[in-house]
Amino acid sequence: MQYHNDETLAIIHGVFPRKAFLRRKCVGKMVDFQMIAANIDKAVIVQSCHFDFNLRRLERYLASVHDGHIEPILLLTKTDLISPDELAKMIASIQQNGITSRVLALSNLTGAGFDDFQQVLVPGQTYCLLGSSGVGKTSLINRLMGRDALGVKTVSETGEGTHATSRRQLVILEHGAMLIDSPGMREIGLLGATDGVDQSFEDILRLAAKCRYADCRHAREPGCAILAAVENGELSEERYRNYLKLKKESDYHALSYVEKRNKDKAFGRHVKSVTKQMGPKR
Ligand SMILES: Nc1nc2c(ncn2[C@@H]2O[C@H](COP(=O)(O)OP(=O)(O)OP(=O)(O)O)[C@@H](O)[C@H]2O)c(=O)[nH]1
Ligand SMILES: [Mg+2]
Ligand SMILES: [Zn+2]
């Protein structure tokens, strides 16, 4: 199969069926999906040790990644800006929080931690870098490629938080691993990602199995094992609250999405019947 487009030189030889995917609720009021990438093997969730580090946002990204049936890797960048002690504490806080995904840390500036990161890159596999703007996603790819293949902006010029990358781009490393660079995301809204949320909070799911009532909503029900765990300090209250928040947001958007789809369908039927009444085109 070959498709030609007059304005470009690209030839599409075939389209792979979409299996694993990364998507989010599109930004703004509209309730719809925005596809970020498809058929990737692993998502690298990047946070900078400097200012950007945030467990709640990490949980949000994890929910989205798990929902797309993709394995997450957590990567902390800019380790040169904090002490080894602070870094150790940061990594420990991720694990103590109940997040079990693999955590790596590196500095694009000094190259510390690079070997460990390169070890996880398997030839033939595709990795998508995700994270806020300015955390060093493009710098990481450039360093892996050994040259400034993609543009980054200097901190002095723009400061953290301004976008350097404006489109998604796939690069192939010399040894055959593929990396997708993406523009920094300000938000990653959840839509119908309940399974992804559950999968990201396995500790809470395990506790839920011990609640007295099967339909426990873990809000104020008696015999709730999750509330008991929060009470005795076994489960962090922030993590518990974020779990409820992400679930609620995901379900709420899913409901609006279905409603909108039904309305659109009804409208489509209406248009069809009106066109029919108007008779065949002359
Ligand atoms: N100190 C330090 N600075 C870094 C490191 N990695 C990246 N930077 C700097 O951080 C700034 C942003 O880096 P980028 O690679 O453009 O960040 P990005 O994640 O691609 O940002 P967007 O494309 O906007 O999403 C640049 O000035 C980099 O030089 C690091 O490990 N340590
Ligand atoms: Mg970039
Ligand atoms: Zn409960």
Side-chain angles (χ1 to χ4, degrees):
M1 211 188 334
Q2 291 202 348
Y3 297 101
H4 280 274
N5 180 327
D6 289 339
E7 277 138 46
T8 69
L9 297 169
I11 299 169
I12 298 168
H13 295 282
V15 179
F16 288 111
R18 197 185 275 165
K19 288 187 301 233
F21 56 82
L22 259 177
R23 63 187 187 183
R24 64 170 170 173
K25 182 199 158 292
C26 61
V27 176
K29 287 219 174 84
M30 210 168 64
V31 182
D32 212 335
F33 289 106
Q34 184 201 358
M35 200 50 83
I36 297 164
N39 295 350
I40 58 176
D41 298 290
K42 291 192 175 83
V44 184
I45 303 173
V46 188
Q47 286 198 345
S48 155
C49 293
H50 200 226
F51 298 123
D52 183 61
F53 180 69
N54 182 304
L55 284 173
R56 304 289 80 81
R57 187 147 28 80
L58 216 47
E59 289 167 345
R60 178 177 281 277
Y61 272 98
L62 280 168
S64 195
V65 168
H66 278 137
D67 203 60
H69 314 290
I70 296 161
E71 191 190 320
I73 299 169
L74 309 183
L75 181 66
L76 300 174
T77 55
K78 309 200 186 184
T79 55
D80 54 286
L81 297 175
I82 60 167
S83 70
D85 248 19
E86 286 172 305
L87 176 62
K89 271 191 202 140
M90 223 174 247
I91 295 175
S93 75
I94 296 174
Q95 288 153 351
Q96 279 156 14
N97 180 66
I99 294 175
T100 53
S101 311
R102 181 166 193 175
V103 186
L104 293 163
L106 58 77
S107 164
N108 290 311
L109 210 69
T110 66
F114 246 77
D115 288 348
D116 284 347
F117 182 70
Q118 271 175 306
Q119 295 276 317
V120 307
L121 301 176
V122 179
Q125 296 227 316
T126 310
Y127 302 80
C128 186
L129 303 184
L130 296 172
S132 310
S133 190
V135 297
K137 299 180 294 297
T138 306
S139 305
L140 169 62
I141 291 187
N142 282 342
R143 189 161 184 134
L144 287 167
M145 294 185 79
R147 62 194 166 91
D148 290 340
L150 307 176
V152 296
K153 280 185 191 164
T154 55
V155 164
S156 55
E157 218 182 287
T158 62
E160 254 177 274
T162 33
H163 289 269
T165 305
S166 55
R167 60 198 176 99
R168 287 182 282 272
Q169 216 168 330
L170 183 137
V171 298
I172 305 174
L173 298 183
E174 216 169 278
H175 86 312
M178 287 163 279
L179 276 96
I180 297 174
D181 191 13
S182 67
M185 289 192 268
R186 199 167 301 148
E187 54 183 83
I188 181 150
L190 300 179
L191 197 183
T194 304
D195 290 349
V197 177
D198 280 343
Q199 224 183 312
S200 309
F201 291 87
E202 282 177 320
D203 48 346
I204 293 187
L205 275 201
R206 267 198 303 277
L207 287 166
K210 293 187 212 150
C211 291
R212 187 179 304 158
Y213 302 111
D215 61 350
C216 185
R217 291 187 312 145
H218 327 303
R220 56 180 78 82
E221 289 82 354
C224 173
I226 294 176
L227 288 175
V230 171
E231 197 69 26
N232 68 26
E234 194 187 315
L235 172 67
S236 118
E237 180 165 357
E238 289 86 358
R239 180 166 167 85
Y240 156 72
R241 287 195 184 284
N242 203 34
Y243 168 75
L244 293 185
K245 181 182 168 184
L246 296 179
K247 261 244 189 326
K248 196 170 151 191
E249 170 187 321
S250 171
D251 291 350
Y252 175 77
H253 285 148
L255 206 67
S256 323
Y257 181 72
V258 170
E259 262 173 24
K260 186 183 157 290
R261 292 277 293 237
N262 288 343
K263 259 189 219 153
D264 288 352
K265 254 190 231 158
F267 180 69
R269 276 197 300 272
H270 174 69
V271 170
K272 227 178 181 173
S273 79
V274 170
T275 342
K276 217 171 168 183
Q277 281 166 29
M278 281 163 56
K281 274 197 198 124
R282 271 163 288 165

